[in-house]
Amino acid sequence: MMARSLIVPMASVFPDFGAVDGAGQLKAVIGALLTFVLIIAVLMLIVCAVTWAVSSAHGNYQAATKARTGLFVALGAAALAGAGVAWMNFLLGIGATL
């Protein structure tokens, strides 16, 4: 039996700002917000990871649990910020067809 090769098309996930009036301002605002979210998420990741490690090493399991929760929240925020670009691209595509 031969194995099939799976070909996955590579899609460019970037918003089409040409379909909306005032696209320049929209691009600047969304870019600035995405930058702030990603910077804060990375800083939160670092702080929570260090807190989790130190509190686990010293036996403070309540603080370790809260730091682990913060780490997962930071990961979720970074993932949602990245998915926001795809969502905005979808909405701008629908808006151009209305």
Side-chain angles (χ1 to χ4, degrees):
M1 187 175 215
M2 290 183 73
R4 290 186 182 177
S5 64
L6 180 63
I7 298 175
V8 179
M10 297 299 292
S12 174
V13 181
F14 192 75
D16 178 21
F17 289 108
V20 177
D21 262 353
Q25 292 90 9
L26 180 64
K27 186 176 182 179
V29 168
I30 297 298
L33 289 175
L34 184 61
T35 302
F36 282 128
V37 167
L38 290 177
I39 288 172
I40 291 170
V42 168
L43 291 175
M44 188 174 162
L45 269 168
I46 293 169
V47 168
C48 288
V50 169
T51 304
W52 184 10
V54 170
S55 60
S56 291
H58 291 287
N60 191 349
Y61 297 111
Q62 186 176 8
T65 302
K66 291 185 185 224
R68 184 177 55 221
T69 303
L71 186 82
F72 292 142
V73 167
L75 283 173
L80 286 175
V85 174
W87 179 249
M88 189 172 63
N89 190 15
F90 172 73
L91 292 178
L92 286 173
I94 287 180
T97 61
L98 292 178

